[in-house]
Short mmCIF file of all heavy atoms in Angstrom, two decimals:
data_model
loop_
_atom_site.label_atom_id
_atom_site.label_comp_id
_atom_site.label_asym_id
_atom_site.label_seq_id
_atom_site.Cartn_x
_atom_site.Cartn_y
_atom_site.Cartn_z
N ILE X 1 40.89 65.91 46.66
CA ILE X 1 41.11 64.68 45.90
C ILE X 1 40.02 63.69 46.28
O ILE X 1 39.83 63.38 47.47
CB ILE X 1 42.49 64.06 46.19
CG1 ILE X 1 43.62 65.06 45.85
CG2 ILE X 1 42.66 62.76 45.43
CD1 ILE X 1 43.75 65.38 44.40
N ASP X 2 39.28 63.19 45.30
CA ASP X 2 38.27 62.16 45.57
C ASP X 2 38.99 60.93 46.09
O ASP X 2 39.85 60.35 45.41
CB ASP X 2 37.50 61.85 44.28
CG ASP X 2 36.29 60.96 44.53
OD1 ASP X 2 36.47 59.90 45.17
OD2 ASP X 2 35.18 61.31 44.09
N ALA X 3 38.64 60.52 47.30
CA ALA X 3 39.37 59.42 47.95
C ALA X 3 39.06 58.07 47.33
O ALA X 3 39.78 57.10 47.61
CB ALA X 3 39.05 59.40 49.44
N LEU X 4 38.02 57.96 46.52
CA LEU X 4 37.66 56.68 45.92
C LEU X 4 38.20 56.55 44.50
O LEU X 4 38.59 55.47 44.07
CB LEU X 4 36.14 56.49 45.93
CG LEU X 4 35.51 56.48 47.34
CD1 LEU X 4 34.00 56.30 47.24
CD2 LEU X 4 36.13 55.40 48.21
N THR X 5 38.22 57.66 43.76
CA THR X 5 38.72 57.60 42.38
C THR X 5 40.17 58.03 42.27
O THR X 5 40.84 57.70 41.29
CB THR X 5 37.87 58.51 41.47
OG1 THR X 5 38.10 59.88 41.83
CG2 THR X 5 36.40 58.18 41.59
N GLY X 6 40.65 58.78 43.24
CA GLY X 6 42.02 59.28 43.19
C GLY X 6 42.20 60.46 42.26
O GLY X 6 43.33 60.87 41.99
N GLU X 7 41.09 61.05 41.80
CA GLU X 7 41.15 62.19 40.91
C GLU X 7 40.73 63.46 41.64
O GLU X 7 39.98 63.40 42.61
CB GLU X 7 40.23 61.97 39.70
CG GLU X 7 40.60 60.78 38.84
CD GLU X 7 41.95 60.95 38.15
OE1 GLU X 7 42.29 62.11 37.82
OE2 GLU X 7 42.66 59.94 37.96
N PRO X 8 41.19 64.64 41.17
CA PRO X 8 40.71 65.90 41.76
C PRO X 8 39.19 65.98 41.66
O PRO X 8 38.60 65.62 40.63
CB PRO X 8 41.39 66.97 40.91
CG PRO X 8 42.62 66.30 40.37
CD PRO X 8 42.23 64.87 40.13
N LEU X 9 38.56 66.46 42.72
CA LEU X 9 37.10 66.54 42.77
C LEU X 9 36.69 67.90 42.22
O LEU X 9 36.75 68.91 42.91
CB LEU X 9 36.60 66.36 44.21
CG LEU X 9 35.09 66.35 44.41
CD1 LEU X 9 34.44 65.26 43.57
CD2 LEU X 9 34.76 66.15 45.88
N VAL X 10 36.27 67.92 40.97
CA VAL X 10 35.90 69.16 40.30
C VAL X 10 34.39 69.17 40.07
O VAL X 10 33.84 68.24 39.48
CB VAL X 10 36.63 69.31 38.95
CG1 VAL X 10 36.18 70.58 38.24
CG2 VAL X 10 38.14 69.32 39.17
N MET X 11 33.75 70.20 40.56
CA MET X 11 32.31 70.37 40.35
C MET X 11 32.11 71.27 39.13
O MET X 11 32.43 72.45 39.16
CB MET X 11 31.66 71.02 41.58
CG MET X 11 31.80 70.21 42.86
SD MET X 11 30.84 68.69 42.84
CE MET X 11 32.13 67.47 42.52
N ASP X 12 31.60 70.70 38.04
CA ASP X 12 31.46 71.46 36.81
C ASP X 12 30.01 71.65 36.39
O ASP X 12 29.72 71.99 35.26
CB ASP X 12 32.22 70.78 35.67
CG ASP X 12 31.75 69.35 35.43
OD1 ASP X 12 30.85 68.89 36.16
OD2 ASP X 12 32.29 68.71 34.51
N ASP X 13 29.08 71.44 37.31
CA ASP X 13 27.67 71.55 36.94
C ASP X 13 26.91 72.45 37.92
O ASP X 13 25.76 72.21 38.24
CB ASP X 13 27.02 70.17 36.88
CG ASP X 13 27.21 69.37 38.17
OD1 ASP X 13 27.88 69.89 39.08
OD2 ASP X 13 26.70 68.25 38.27
N GLY X 14 27.57 73.47 38.40
CA GLY X 14 26.89 74.42 39.28
C GLY X 14 26.90 74.02 40.74
O GLY X 14 26.32 74.70 41.57
N ARG X 15 27.58 72.92 41.07
CA ARG X 15 27.66 72.50 42.47
C ARG X 15 28.98 72.96 43.08
O ARG X 15 29.92 73.31 42.37
CB ARG X 15 27.53 70.97 42.58
CG ARG X 15 26.22 70.42 42.06
CD ARG X 15 26.15 68.92 42.24
NE ARG X 15 27.23 68.25 41.50
CZ ARG X 15 27.60 66.98 41.72
NH1 ARG X 15 27.02 66.27 42.67
NH2 ARG X 15 28.56 66.44 41.02
N TRP X 16 29.05 72.92 44.38
CA TRP X 16 30.28 73.30 45.07
C TRP X 16 30.34 72.55 46.39
O TRP X 16 29.37 71.94 46.83
CB TRP X 16 30.35 74.81 45.30
CG TRP X 16 29.33 75.34 46.26
CD1 TRP X 16 29.46 75.52 47.60
CD2 TRP X 16 27.99 75.75 45.95
NE1 TRP X 16 28.31 76.02 48.14
CE2 TRP X 16 27.39 76.18 47.15
CE3 TRP X 16 27.23 75.80 44.78
CZ2 TRP X 16 26.07 76.64 47.21
CZ3 TRP X 16 25.94 76.26 44.84
CH2 TRP X 16 25.37 76.67 46.05
N PHE X 17 31.50 72.55 47.00
CA PHE X 17 31.68 71.91 48.28
C PHE X 17 31.92 72.97 49.33
O PHE X 17 32.48 74.01 49.06
CB PHE X 17 32.84 70.91 48.27
CG PHE X 17 33.89 71.21 47.26
CD1 PHE X 17 34.81 72.21 47.47
CD2 PHE X 17 33.93 70.51 46.07
CE1 PHE X 17 35.78 72.51 46.53
CE2 PHE X 17 34.89 70.81 45.12
CZ PHE X 17 35.81 71.80 45.34
N LYS X 18 31.47 72.70 50.52
CA LYS X 18 31.56 73.69 51.58
C LYS X 18 32.96 73.76 52.14
O LYS X 18 33.53 72.76 52.57
CB LYS X 18 30.57 73.33 52.71
CG LYS X 18 30.54 74.35 53.84
CD LYS X 18 29.52 73.98 54.88
CE LYS X 18 29.47 75.02 56.00
NZ LYS X 18 28.50 74.65 57.04
N ASP X 19 33.53 75.00 52.12
CA ASP X 19 34.84 75.25 52.73
C ASP X 19 35.91 74.30 52.22
O ASP X 19 36.74 73.80 52.97
CB ASP X 19 34.77 75.14 54.27
CG ASP X 19 33.90 76.23 54.85
OD1 ASP X 19 33.75 77.27 54.18
OD2 ASP X 19 33.36 76.04 55.95
N GLY X 20 35.89 74.03 50.92
CA GLY X 20 36.92 73.17 50.36
C GLY X 20 38.31 73.71 50.63
O GLY X 20 38.57 74.90 50.48
N ALA X 21 39.21 72.84 51.03
CA ALA X 21 40.61 73.20 51.29
C ALA X 21 40.74 74.32 52.30
O ALA X 21 41.60 75.17 52.22
CB ALA X 21 41.31 73.59 49.99
N GLY X 22 39.84 74.34 53.28
CA GLY X 22 39.99 75.28 54.37
C GLY X 22 39.59 76.69 54.03
O GLY X 22 40.21 77.64 54.48
N GLY X 23 38.51 76.85 53.23
CA GLY X 23 38.00 78.19 52.97
C GLY X 23 38.76 78.95 51.90
O GLY X 23 38.90 80.16 51.97
N MET X 24 39.23 78.25 50.86
CA MET X 24 39.98 78.94 49.82
C MET X 24 39.12 79.92 49.05
O MET X 24 39.62 80.82 48.41
CB MET X 24 40.57 77.91 48.84
CG MET X 24 41.68 77.06 49.44
SD MET X 24 43.09 78.03 49.96
CE MET X 24 43.66 78.67 48.39
N GLY X 25 37.79 79.75 49.11
CA GLY X 25 36.91 80.65 48.39
C GLY X 25 37.01 82.08 48.85
O GLY X 25 36.61 83.00 48.15
N GLU X 26 37.56 82.30 50.03
CA GLU X 26 37.64 83.66 50.55
C GLU X 26 38.54 84.55 49.71
O GLU X 26 38.41 85.76 49.72
CB GLU X 26 38.17 83.64 51.99
CG GLU X 26 37.21 82.94 52.96
CD GLU X 26 37.78 82.89 54.36
OE1 GLU X 26 38.87 83.46 54.57
OE2 GLU X 26 37.15 82.31 55.24
N ILE X 27 39.44 83.92 48.95
CA ILE X 27 40.37 84.72 48.18
C ILE X 27 39.99 84.77 46.71
O ILE X 27 40.74 85.28 45.89
CB ILE X 27 41.82 84.14 48.34
CG1 ILE X 27 42.88 85.20 48.01
CG2 ILE X 27 42.00 82.92 47.45
CD1 ILE X 27 42.93 86.34 48.98
N ALA X 28 38.79 84.26 46.37
CA ALA X 28 38.40 84.13 44.97
C ALA X 28 38.48 85.46 44.23
O ALA X 28 38.94 85.54 43.10
CB ALA X 28 37.00 83.56 44.86
N LYS X 29 38.01 86.52 44.86
CA LYS X 29 38.02 87.80 44.17
C LYS X 29 39.44 88.27 43.88
O LYS X 29 39.73 88.81 42.81
CB LYS X 29 37.27 88.85 44.98
CG LYS X 29 35.78 88.61 45.02
CD LYS X 29 35.06 89.75 45.71
CE LYS X 29 33.56 89.55 45.69
NZ LYS X 29 32.84 90.66 46.36
N LEU X 30 40.34 88.05 44.82
CA LEU X 30 41.72 88.45 44.58
C LEU X 30 42.33 87.59 43.48
O LEU X 30 43.03 88.07 42.60
CB LEU X 30 42.54 88.31 45.87
CG LEU X 30 42.28 89.36 46.94
CD1 LEU X 30 43.07 89.00 48.19
CD2 LEU X 30 42.67 90.74 46.46
N ARG X 31 42.01 86.29 43.50
CA ARG X 31 42.61 85.38 42.55
C ARG X 31 42.09 85.66 41.14
O ARG X 31 42.78 85.46 40.16
CB ARG X 31 42.31 83.94 42.96
CG ARG X 31 43.07 82.91 42.18
CD ARG X 31 42.88 81.53 42.76
NE ARG X 31 41.48 81.15 42.73
CZ ARG X 31 40.98 80.14 43.43
NH1 ARG X 31 41.77 79.47 44.24
NH2 ARG X 31 39.71 79.83 43.37
N ASP X 32 40.82 86.09 41.03
CA ASP X 32 40.23 86.36 39.73
C ASP X 32 40.57 87.74 39.22
O ASP X 32 40.11 88.13 38.15
CB ASP X 32 38.71 86.21 39.81
CG ASP X 32 38.29 84.77 40.00
OD1 ASP X 32 39.12 83.89 39.72
OD2 ASP X 32 37.15 84.53 40.41
N GLY X 33 41.31 88.53 39.99
CA GLY X 33 41.65 89.86 39.54
C GLY X 33 40.46 90.78 39.54
O GLY X 33 40.46 91.81 38.86
N SER X 34 39.41 90.44 40.33
CA SER X 34 38.21 91.27 40.32
C SER X 34 38.01 91.95 41.65
O SER X 34 36.90 92.16 42.09
CB SER X 34 36.99 90.42 39.98
OG SER X 34 36.89 89.32 40.87
N ALA X 35 39.11 92.27 42.34
CA ALA X 35 39.00 92.93 43.63
C ALA X 35 38.41 94.32 43.45
O ALA X 35 38.55 94.96 42.41
CB ALA X 35 40.37 93.03 44.29
N SER X 36 37.78 94.80 44.50
CA SER X 36 37.16 96.12 44.45
C SER X 36 38.19 97.20 44.14
O SER X 36 39.30 97.19 44.64
CB SER X 36 36.49 96.43 45.79
OG SER X 36 36.07 97.77 45.84
N GLN X 37 37.79 98.14 43.31
CA GLN X 37 38.72 99.20 42.93
C GLN X 37 38.73 100.35 43.91
O GLN X 37 39.46 101.31 43.74
CB GLN X 37 38.36 99.71 41.54
CG GLN X 37 38.55 98.65 40.46
CD GLN X 37 38.42 99.25 39.08
OE1 GLN X 37 38.54 100.45 38.92
NE2 GLN X 37 38.18 98.43 38.11
N GLY X 38 37.87 100.30 44.92
CA GLY X 38 37.87 101.36 45.91
C GLY X 38 37.16 102.60 45.39
O GLY X 38 36.84 102.75 44.22
#
């Protein structure tokens, strides 16, 4: 949450934040349904 605007901080132009929300990016593949098929 942007502490100055009070809105969710969404990067929509190719930018990202480091370790947002405690490293949630680690589960991106599982969340996107694109996990390795083995």
Side-chain angles (χ1 to χ4, degrees):
I1 302 293
D2 189 308
L4 299 180
T5 68
E7 298 295 327
L9 183 58
V10 178
M11 299 291 103
D12 58 359
D13 54 358
R15 299 182 299 164
W16 67 92
F17 25 77
K18 183 178 181 181
D19 295 336
M24 291 298 296
E26 295 178 3
I27 201 67
K29 290 186 177 180
L30 286 175
R31 190 172 60 196
D32 290 342
S34 55
S36 170
Q37 295 190 19

